[in-house]
Amino acid sequence: MRRVVGSLIGPLLLVGAVGLGLAGCSAIGAPQLSSVERAWCLDHMFPDPDGAASVASSARRLGIASPELEKALGEVDATYADGARLAAATVAAQVTGDAATIEEARAAYLAWQSETAFPAQQAVADAMGAWSTTPEWAEACTDAYGRGISAPAAAATPTPAAATPEPTVEPTPTPKPKPTPRLAAYKNITYTGSTSVGRLVELTIKVRNPGTLSAGKVSAQVEGVGYSLKSRTPMVGCVPNCRTSTGAEGITYVEWSAPAPGKTRSYTVQLKPNRTGTYTIAVRSYRGPAADTIADLANWTVKVRVR
C-alpha cells in the first residue's frame, strides 16, 4: 500500500545532528514568565553557532547554569574544532576528484558526527531538560529574551539647515551577487504503508531544481524512531543508484546527484523488513552532499505496518 504524507519541517540542533528531545519540557518555565517569553525561550534554548542570544548562553554569562549543563556545553564547544577540520578536509577531498580520498574524508566526517557530535549534543539536551524546571532557568530565560529582542537603534543622521549642493557623481555599478543553486522538495512523500516480512518498503521523495544552475548533490537521512533501522528494516537499495553509509547512531545517510536545472526527479530508498510490527521511520532531505549538507529541504515521519 502506497501512502503520501505532508512535510513536517523542524530545525536541527547545533551542528546538524538529529533533533534532540528534552526531558521535562511540560514543566519548563517559572510562573513569572509570560507566555511570549516562555515560547521565545523554547525556540532559543541552545547555543547559537553565530552567537545570537540563547538560554544556554545567558546561563553561562550569569554563572547560573547547573554543573551538568556547564559540563555538557563545554564538551560541545570542544567538538567544534574537530568538526570544522573534518568538514574542511571533506571539501578539499572533493576537489581532488579521487574517489578513495573523497570516501575516506566523508567517512571520517560521518564518524565524527555519530560518535562525537551527536552524543555531546544529546548530553546538552538532557542537562537542559533536567535544569529547565528551576528558577535559574527562568532567570536565564528572562535575560536571554531581553537580549534577543533588543537591538541598538540606528542613530538618525542630522540634516544641515542649508546644505550645499554636491556635484553629481555617477554611482559605481555594484556587481551582481553570484546566483545560488536552488532545490525544492515536494511537500509529500510516497511510501509503502503496509507490507510483509521480506518484501520491500519504498520511501520516495520528489525534488525539483527550479533554477538554471546545477545544484550538485541531494541527500537524505533515514532513521528508525525508537529502534535500529539496520537491525529490523535495513536499507537494501535505492533508485536511482546512490552512495550510502550507516553511522554508529543508526542513521542511514544517502546521496544522489541533484536534478538538472529546470527538472524534477524522484528518489527512492528501499528497506527490507525482517520482523513483523509497526515501524516509525523519519526521513530528512537536504541540498548538498551527505557529509556536508547545505540547506534543509523537508522532513517527514511515516508509519509502516509489516505483517
Side-chain angles (χ1 to χ4, degrees), residues 1-2 192-202 233 271-273 275-277 279 303-307:
M1 180 184 297
R2 306 284 282 177
T192 305
S194 179
T195 188
S196 56
V197 170
R199 298 179 68 88
L200 289 181
V201 169
E202 294 191 325
T233 57
L271 311 176
K272 182 176 282 189
R275 302 186 197 178
T276 61
Y279 298 105
K303 286 186 181 293
V304 177
R305 186 169 64 89
V306 180
R307 303 181 299 279

Side-chain angles (χ1 to χ4, degrees), residues 36-302:
V36 173
E37 287 176 311
R38 185 173 303 146
W40 186 94
C41 289
L42 289 175
D43 288 335
H44 299 80
M45 285 265 237
F46 302 100
D48 188 300
D50 296 327
S54 69
V55 175
S57 61
S58 283
R60 296 180 104 180
R61 190 178 69 84
L62 298 173
I64 58 175
S66 68
E68 294 79 11
L69 179 58
E70 188 64 48
K71 178 183 177 184
L73 289 170
E75 290 175 353
V76 166
D77 290 345
T79 69
Y80 282 156
D82 280 346
R85 176 178 59 79
L86 291 170
T90 302
V91 173
Q94 297 285 344
V95 176
T96 69
D98 180 72
T101 301
I102 294 170
E103 184 59 30
E104 181 180 358
R106 180 170 171 269
Y109 182 84
L110 292 177
W112 168 82
Q113 275 192 322
S114 62
E115 298 169 12
T116 303
F118 184 84
Q121 293 161 3
Q122 182 64 63
V124 171
D126 292 344
M128 181 66 81
W131 184 64
S132 63
T133 58
T134 66
E136 288 79 9
W137 185 91
E139 182 180 350
C141 170
T142 300
D143 179 80
Y145 178 76
R147 294 165 64 82
I149 65 170
S150 300
T157 303
T159 303
T164 303
E166 294 289 337
T168 301
V169 178
E170 291 295 326
T172 302
T174 303
K176 292 183 178 179
K178 185 178 179 180
T180 301
R182 292 184 296 139
L183 289 178
Y186 280 49
K187 70 177 183 178
N188 295 329
I189 181 172
T190 304
Y191 70 102
T192 305
S194 179
T195 188
S196 56
V197 170
R199 298 179 68 88
L200 289 181
V201 169
E202 294 191 325
L203 309 166
T204 301
I205 63 176
K206 294 180 72 174
V207 178
R208 179 169 55 94
N209 183 342
T212 58
L213 302 175
S214 172
K217 301 292 183 182
V218 61
S219 56
Q221 295 179 5
V222 185
E223 179 183 11
V225 179
Y227 75 99
S228 168
L229 197 74
K230 192 173 183 179
S231 67
R232 298 186 185 182
T233 57
M235 178 176 171
V236 294
C238 49
V239 181
N241 289 336
C242 63
R243 300 183 65 179
T244 180
S245 66
T246 299
E249 80 287 10
I251 299 175
T252 294
Y253 299 86
V254 192
E255 177 183 297
W256 297 274
S257 295
K263 301 294 184 179
T264 297
R265 197 171 189 182
S266 294
Y267 299 94
T268 299
V269 173
Q270 297 173 325
L271 311 176
K272 182 176 282 189
N274 53 33
R275 302 186 197 178
T276 61
T278 298
Y279 298 105
T280 301
I281 302 171
V283 182
R284 293 170 286 274
S285 60
Y286 304 91
R287 179 170 77 85
D292 190 21
T293 55
I294 297 169
D296 292 11
L297 296 180
N299 296 349
W300 306 269
T301 300
V302 303

